Amino acid sequence: MVEESSCDLNASSAAKQTLMLLLSEDPACAVQAAKEIRCLTKTSQSHRRQFSAAVTPLVDMLCGGSGNAREAALAALLNLAVRDDENKMNIINGGALKPIMSFLESTNATVQEHAAAALVTLSASSNNKPIIAASGAIPLLVDVLHFGASSQARSDAAMALYNLSTDADNVPLILHAQPIPPLIDLLKSCKKSSKAAEKCVALIESAVAFEEGRRAVVAEEGGILAVVEVVEGGTGRGREHGVGALLRMCESDEGGEYRDAILGEGAIPGVMELTVEGSGRCRGRAQELLRLLRDPRPEMERGAVLYGEVKRVGKANKMVREMAQVSMEQSFRDIKERAVLCASHLSS
């Protein structure tokens, strides 16, 4: 117990010395202190609490220091904000947002990455979401998503936009910045089971609640296919968001355009798999999506007077049944093959 208390006192004393260095009039000492805070707070929650008093001087350094000082301050603030809502709010309230936004436009890949990562962390706080959105950060994040200096910066820009989109009031602002083309490009290029793909398709799910978003996804070459691929091979949450996006499109589909596009990209096998293997919520969404793909507008079909419309619906339903049959036959073949392999292993 005595030894533990001694360690705590030593840690507290070291933290105070580092804070004093941060306040030093010697710029080199202040930069060194910022770098030390960054290292100490990288994985330690207790250090993030110990150095909460460093937020104000670090924000001052971020706003008015040299290039090296600003970069060191940004990296330290990024680590201080991780899993600490109080630090997140203090960083925003202290005036860090404007310089962080300016770093998004930097041609220095490392600086841009740190700025995008900082906004991912800061935008996770519900209190910060409306402030960040109102600051004008959204168009800058979309620019990074489009033209970012690295794949990491682009992925973090997508994640920050997703965090902001969880506040429903921000979704129209995000759509106004036209994020769908670069979002689809990122989704095409990244691994479908990655966190980046999960957040991309989650943002698309929010966007397709609006006609503008639905039109943008369909207009983008390979847009629907990219979502379908996440449904087939994404993370559990990614697959759920993918099904949710496709379901929203089908639910709002009056002319059959979105349904036909989804069917054309071979969505049925992945959706059918989720009707059995998905989580409770995901399974329900998949079942509803499958129903809409098979029989989208029964009331219109019953009352249709145009032969062409009835014929088109009938043809689409036939295609769904045929695709479902092929998928089931393939599944049975796979099961049979696995059974034969198991039997051969047991006999040997």
Side-chain angles (χ1 to χ4, degrees), residues 31-45:
V31 168
Q32 185 56 42
K35 289 180 178 179
E36 189 172 339
I37 290 170
R38 177 198 179 188
C39 291
L40 290 171
T41 56
K42 187 173 184 180
T43 57
S44 171
Q45 186 60 36

Side-chain angles (χ1 to χ4, degrees), residues 10-24 29 33 36 51:
N10 288 337
S12 177
S13 176
K16 286 179 180 177
Q17 287 179 355
T18 303
L19 285 170
M20 287 178 66
L21 280 176
L22 186 64
L23 296 169
S24 170
C29 289
E36 189 172 339
F51 285 106

Side-chain angles (χ1 to χ4, degrees), residues 248-260 297:
R248 279 184 166 177
M249 294 183 77
C250 281
E251 286 176 334
S252 64
D253 197 7
E254 295 182 357
E257 175 188 0
Y258 304 141
R259 175 177 178 264
D260 291 347
R297 294 173 297 159

Side-chain angles (χ1 to χ4, degrees), residues 83-104:
R83 297 178 182 175
D84 193 309
D85 281 346
E86 185 178 341
N87 283 348
K88 283 183 176 72
M89 289 186 288
N90 289 338
I91 289 167
I92 291 291
N93 293 336
L97 190 53
K98 189 174 180 179
I100 290 174
M101 286 167 55
S102 72
F103 284 147
L104 289 176

